[in-house]
Each structure stands twice: as structure tokens, then as C-alpha cells.
Amino acid sequence: MDDRMGVGSRWRAVLPLLVMAVLTVPILMGYVWIIISTFSQRTYGLVPVDSAGRVGGLTLENWAFLWEDPNIWKVTLNSFTLAVGLTIGVVLVSALAGYALSRISFPGRKAFLGTTLILHAFPSVTLLISIYFVLRWITRVPILGRGIPVIGGFGYDTVGGVILVMLALQLPLGVWLMKGFFDNISWDMERAALIDGCTRLRVWWQIIMPQIKPGIAALAIFSFISGWNEFLIPYTYITDQEKSTIAAYLRSLMSDTAPVNYSQIAAVGLFQLIPVMIFFIFTQEYLLSIFAGGSKGGT
Amino acid sequence: MKLKLENLTKRWGAVYGARDVNIEVKDGEFVALLGPSGCGKTTTLLMVAGIYKPTAGVIRFGERVMNRVPPKNRNVGMVFQSYALYPHMTVFENLVFPMKLKRVPAKERRERAQQVAEMMGIGHLMDRKPGQLSGGQQQRVALGRALTKQPELLLFDEPLSNLDARLRLSMRAEIKRLQVNLGITSIYVTHDQVEAMTMADRIAVMRDGLLEAYCPPDELYDRPATLFVAGFVGNPPMNFLDVEVTQANGELRARCLGLDVAVPAERGARAAGKPKVTLGIRPEDLSIVLGEPGGEADTVVAGEVYVVEPLGRDDLIDVQIGQSHVNVLVNPGLGLRLGDPVRLKFNMEKAQFFDPETEQSLLWR
Ligand SMILES: Nc1ncnc2c1ncn2[C@@H]1O[C@H](COP(=O)(O)OP(=O)(O)OP(=O)(O)O)[C@@H](O)[C@H]1O
Ligand SMILES: [Mg+2]
């Protein structure tokens, strides 16, 4: 009797895993294919073949863009600048705004929260043209327009301009997320800190921020990835090849006239994935602790 | 340090948190703020701490008006019900944090933290994070943190509510002893009247944001100024009966259905002649009269046992008199059962009378 129940419950544990494994196989196959194909002349299913169709034909040719095309490093750096700039902006503004929205009651607070949510729901494609005019206008502002080192400025055809636009589109989510994290911190702790001798700003920085580290990590990862992968906005507002980003570079490989080399596109795609992976490895602990119930407890 | 609250009021729109509160605290005094949930105890305390800005009224530390002074410049220590320790800092860091902000030199910081930790019995926990401590230990750390900065005023907001009954008892004694030894002026918020009665030099009873009474514990118990105070203080609570006090042949008698007792003149004078007054009498001022009825004092009333609640040392019995009920503490040895006829002796020397309209005492106001 007992034994049979034991077997039954084991099946109950194994079955879902089995189902999930089966469902995951096609996805895994996709990844495996990408990796194999970047090192092959052609592929037949998952098997690398050479131009004559024989098994073999392994090559580094598809990765040649790394040493042959100087532009790849420029666009990589641009993507990196975009992703980092966006992350800093989103985290900083969201954390401050989220704190204010969570703690301070001021006129228009509710309305503000409501409108940011509506803005978030707005598809960014519909805004492209109006934003274009805004960026053109900013371009004419001295220094701020196109005279800033690293990001180039905040005008049209600059990385900074793209950061600015993406920042605006990302903030509603970020502010709401941060507000949620701040809401979960007890008022008493903040009061205790104020009484202990902190200013408001110090309470925010020394008492509250350390406790929402997992939230900040999550927001930083999302912002970094979306900045790194973003295609539409940099593609629209950056015309200069040298200022463009890696996603736009990938697009330029699919030219309309020449035949498309999918193995090379896979290689560039894989190359694009590397920093995201590294970033994820360093932050996954925080991400996991969010799912495990916040930052409470000893560690 | 002396503390004075003058007509202190806090209002949010139409909601009053506290209303015209007048309290004066002497140097070194331990004052309890007592009242049911939502009566404005925390609101009052947070105004003293500087977290809430008063809508009206004045807060004075000594002679100085503090209304606009930010909390960090008030030099108060506060202990919260939720402990409110900083979870990302160790116990030691929690203890020195307030001193760091006051720019106490590092060496002195360490010494003072160590000293307070020894005093609170948490010296061996210095390297732990709050999440690794029990509730009682956390509350000790919170108390220690309030003490290390050597405040001139200590504020407690129901600090023992989250602890179990036994620990509450020992912490109660400990806090009281600490306060007496250090001589720091303290305000202690609680909804537990036993806590207030045992610890405080004076008790301020609040209700719906208003101050109902402010006096020493024994006076609060023996001479309640309002019906609310009489009912709130004391466990089991005071019995209330609607009676009429009449004067005949120079003698005062309190009457209602099934009850007719003599009232001493000095107790009943102001109650006499009113069509309806509230008679208040504590369970311990009622006693069971044994033996056959007849020829007894004129403060004995017949009734019937309605409910029996064994409390261990005593039985609490509910006796029905006419259509009213009173609680009486009796010796369990009597073996009273439901429906037993009993006779109760009223100790009318301790009786209270209240005006049911104004709820004010007819004895002490
Ligand atoms: N920030 C606020 N905004 C609006 N109303 C408030 C606010 N804080 C308190 N109140 C109201 O003020 C009244 C007093 O609240 P307070 O917290 O002082 O009660 P309390 O005596 O501490 O009760 P408890 O024993 O439950 O802690 C309550 O009616 C409460 O709803
Ligand atoms: Mg309270």
C-alpha cells in the first residue's frame, strides 16, 4: 500500500519534468543550431557540411567580421554606451521618483501614477515621427545638442539622443517597479532613521536603497538588455554607420540585393549575446532572491 | 528634561488624529499614553518625535518651542513595536549608527555601544544581523539603539506587543528599572492597561484623539473622572448599573429592578435626585454572602448565577440581578453552578456614580 503510493508520488514529480523537457527540446535545438552553424560553411539539419554537401566544412569564416570589419568594434562600443547610459538613467530616475511616489503625498500624485501607466501602454512606433522633430530641435541647442563627449549629445543622430528617447519609454515601468519595492519597506524603519539623525536624502541612500538592491538589480538587467538589444529607435534616429548600434549593424547584413549569409548573421547574433550572458551571470543571485521573497533575512 | 504639550492637534482632512491634547511631563518622569486602538497615541508620539507636524498647538522641550525642529535635532530615542532595526547592518552597526550621525568619535562610539550592549545583555550578538535574532533580542537591540545616543527623551510605541506574555512581563520590569536608573524622561504608548498601571508614574488616557484623564495610576483606578476611564482601566472591568438614587428619611438609596442598596452620603450626594445615574462598582468590591437570608445589612442583594468562568485563582461569575448583570470574583472552593441563587454584598464605600448623559463622574468632577 505504502509502496504503491510512493511510486505514484514519484511519477507525479517526474511527469511534469518530462513534459517540460520534451517541450524544451525544439528550443534547445535552435540554440545548438545557431552555435554549430556559426562555425560551418553550411548545415544540413544539425550536421555541418561543406559547399559540396559532404560532412565537415568547419570554418571560422563566419566570425571574420571580428577582425575584418573595424566597424563592428565601434558599433559594439556604441551599443555598450547606449545600454550603460540607459541603465544608469533608468535606475537613478526610477529610484528617486519611486521613492517620492511611495512616501510623499503631493497634489497630483495619483494622476501622475495613472498617466505614466498610460504612457507605458502607448506603442512607441506611433511616436517615432514626433520624437524625430523633438530630436531635431534639441540638435540646435549648443553643446547639449551634439557637443558632449562619449554619447555625442542628446540631439538627432547621436547615441545620447537614443538614450534620451529610450529612457523616456522605459521610465514608467521602472518608476512603478521601484515604487512597489519602496512600498514594501516599513515606515517605522524610516522614522527610526530620521529620529536617529538622518536627513531625508541620507535615509533614502543609507537605509532604504540597501534594502531594495534586488529590485535595482532586476531593473538594471532589464534596462541593460533592452538598451543592448534595441533596434527600432537607434535604427530610426542614427543615420551614421559609425554611430549605429550592433542591432542595427545586424540589420545592415541583410541587404536587399546580395544573398543573405545566415551563418554570419548567427555569428553576429551570438556575439551580441555574450555581454548579456556575462551581465546575467553576475546578477542572477539578486534576480533569484526576488523570486525567493525579497531581501529579507540574514544575508 | 521637561516636556509640555499645549493644545496639541493633528488633523488629516476631517480625521482628527489628536485633538487639543494637554500634557505636562516632569523631568525624569515616566508617562504612559493609554487608550484603545485608533485613539491617537501613535499620532501624539510621532508629533513629539517630529515625524508629524502638528496642525495646531505647541510642543515644548523645557522652555523651547519644538514645533519646527526636525527630528534629528530633537535628541530623542524611540523604540517601535516593529523594532525597526536596519536589516542590512549588524547589531553593532545598528547600535553605533545614531552616534555616527552625531559625530561621536569612533573610540567613544565603540565603548558606549559595548556598554549599552552589556547592559541589555546582547553583548554576544554584536556581529549578527537582525534577521538572525529572536523577537526579544531584536527588541533589546532596538532599545539599546535608542539609548546609545544618550537621548534626553525616550519614546516607546507599544514596544512589547509583539512579544509573548512571559517575555513581556520580564521586559516590562527591565524597561522600568532602566528608566529609573538612567532617569530619562519617557513617554510609553500602550493599549495594555496593566502595562500602564505597573510602569508609569502618570497615565494619560486617550479616546478618539481626546485626552480623557491624566493622573497617577492609583488615582485613575480609585477616582475615575469619566465613565470611559472607569470602564477601560481595571481587569475584569468595572460593573455598570443604571439606577435611581433617592433620598428618604435622610438616607440615600440606589434602586433599580431587583436592587435596593444604601449609599453613603458622601458618595451619593450629587447623584441624588437625578432620574437616572450610572452606578459603577468593581468586581472585587462585590462579595458572596453565605448562610441563610435574614437580618443582614442593607447592602445585600439577591441574584442568580448566570455564567461561571474559571480563571484559576478565582472564578469570575456573572450574576443576574433583576435584568442587569454584574461580574464578581469568587473563591472557586464555593463550587457555584449555573442557576444557583446567591446573595451579593455591595461595598458601597467604593461605589462610583456617573452622569449617563455627559459620562462625567458625579464624585470627582
Ligand atoms: N497618516 C494618516 N492619515 C490619515 N489618518 C491617519 C493617519 N495616521 C493616523 N490616522 C488616523 O488617526 C487616528 C489615530 O491613529 P493612531 O495611529 O495615532 O492610533 P493609535 O492610538 O496609535 O492606535 P493603535 O493602538 O492601533 O496603534 C486613527 O483614526 C487613524 O486612522
Ligand atoms: Mg499606534
Side-chain angles (χ1 to χ4, degrees), chain A residues 186-199 202 206-208 210-211 295 297-299, chain B residues 46 49 51-52 71-72 76 78 80 82 84-89 97-98 101 129 131-132 145 149:
Chain A
S186 87
W187 282 84
D188 277 354
M189 191 179 311
E190 213 167 328
R191 289 170 180 157
L194 284 173
I195 292 169
D196 278 349
C198 290
T199 55
R202 192 194 275 271
Q206 279 200 324
I207 305 295
I208 309 293
Q211 292 180 58
S295 61
T299 51
Chain B
L46 288 178
I51 302 292
Y52 286 167
K72 68 190 183 85
V76 301
M78 183 153 173
F80 295 85
S82 58
L85 296 172
Y86 311 127
H88 56 295
M89 300 184 189
F97 186 67
L101 297 171
K129 294 271 176 72
Q132 301 163 316
R145 184 180 63 184
K149 62 194 256 196

Side-chain angles (χ1 to χ4, degrees), chain B residues 194-363:
Chain B
V194 181
E195 227 167 82
M197 297 288 280
T198 49
M199 298 172 85
D201 298 321
R202 277 197 283 176
I203 298 176
V205 182
M206 292 186 73
R207 175 200 190 185
D208 295 340
L210 292 165
L211 189 64
E212 284 267 324
Y214 183 42
C215 56
D218 50 349
E219 192 180 323
L220 203 64
Y221 194 77
D222 294 332
R223 305 166 56 160
T226 65
L227 198 60
F228 174 78
V229 172
F232 192 73
V233 175
N235 188 27
M238 189 183 274
N239 298 301
F240 294 114
L241 297 162
D242 287 331
V243 298
E244 187 181 1
V245 177
T246 53
Q247 189 159 23
N249 320 329
E251 197 197 32
L252 291 175
R253 296 194 75 86
R255 287 202 183 89
C256 68
L257 187 64
L259 177 128
D260 184 356
V261 291
V263 182
E266 73 276 11
R267 287 265 159 181
R270 273 175 62 199
K274 290 190 191 295
K276 201 173 129 191
V277 296
T278 303
L279 163 69
I281 186 139
R282 294 198 183 277
E284 63 265 32
D285 295 326
L286 296 172
S287 50
I288 300 282
V289 185
L290 297 171
E292 290 303 309
E296 55 215 352
D298 50 5
T299 53
V300 174
V301 175
E304 188 183 295
V305 176
Y306 192 70
V307 178
V308 180
E309 289 178 51
L311 299 179
R313 199 180 49 146
D314 298 307
D315 278 357
L316 180 66
I317 63 169
D318 180 325
V319 176
Q320 184 168 15
I321 300 171
Q323 286 176 345
S324 328
H325 292 261
V326 292
N327 286 318
V328 190
L329 286 171
V330 303
N331 187 343
L334 288 178
L336 290 171
R337 303 268 186 83
L338 290 192
D340 285 355
V342 288
R343 284 174 304 134
L344 290 178
K345 180 168 164 47
F346 281 59
N347 180 3
M348 294 304 285
E349 299 291 333
K350 296 283 187 68
Q352 309 282 344
F353 289 98
F354 302 94
D355 185 331
E357 297 286 310
T358 62
E359 302 198 347
Q360 299 293 314
S361 172
L362 293 169
L363 282 169

Side-chain angles (χ1 to χ4, degrees), chain B residues 179-200:
Chain B
Q179 194 271 338
V180 172
N181 286 348
L182 299 173
I184 304 175
T185 314
S186 303
I187 302 182
Y188 188 103
V189 162
T190 177
H191 60 247
D192 178 351
Q193 43 116 1
V194 181
E195 227 167 82
M197 297 288 280
T198 49
M199 298 172 85

Side-chain angles (χ1 to χ4, degrees), chain A residues 179-238:
Chain A
K179 177 186 172 290
F181 274 93
F182 286 121
D183 283 346
N184 277 334
I185 294 177
S186 87
W187 282 84
D188 277 354
M189 191 179 311
E190 213 167 328
R191 289 170 180 157
L194 284 173
I195 292 169
D196 278 349
C198 290
T199 55
R200 257 244 135 85
L201 198 66
R202 192 194 275 271
V203 173
W204 175 76
W205 178 243
Q206 279 200 324
I207 305 295
I208 309 293
M209 286 302 267
Q211 292 180 58
I212 58 162
K213 269 190 205 158
I216 291 175
L219 185 59
I221 292 165
F222 290 137
S223 309
F224 186 90
I225 292 176
S226 53
W228 183 261
N229 287 341
E230 178 66 24
F231 165 72
L232 184 64
I233 292 170
Y235 183 70
T236 314
Y237 298 125
I238 296 180

Side-chain angles (χ1 to χ4, degrees), chain B residues 12 15-17 36-43 52 158:
Chain B
W12 292 276
V15 182
Y16 278 92
S37 186
C39 71
K41 306 181 296 286
T42 301
T43 305
Y52 286 167
E158 311 201 22

Side-chain angles (χ1 to χ4, degrees), chain A residues 64-78:
Chain A
F65 66 92
L66 286 182
W67 48 87
E68 279 173 2
D69 186 353
N71 259 347
I72 182 70
W73 296 108
K74 279 193 191 132
V75 297
T76 305
L77 185 69
N78 288 341

Side-chain angles (χ1 to χ4, degrees), chain B residues 119-138:
Chain B
M119 190 163 67
M120 301 303 307
I122 48 173
H124 57 296
L125 304 172
M126 289 296 228
D127 297 324
R128 297 226 203 142
K129 294 271 176 72
Q132 301 163 316
L133 301 178
S134 74
Q137 289 168 332
Q138 288 188 46

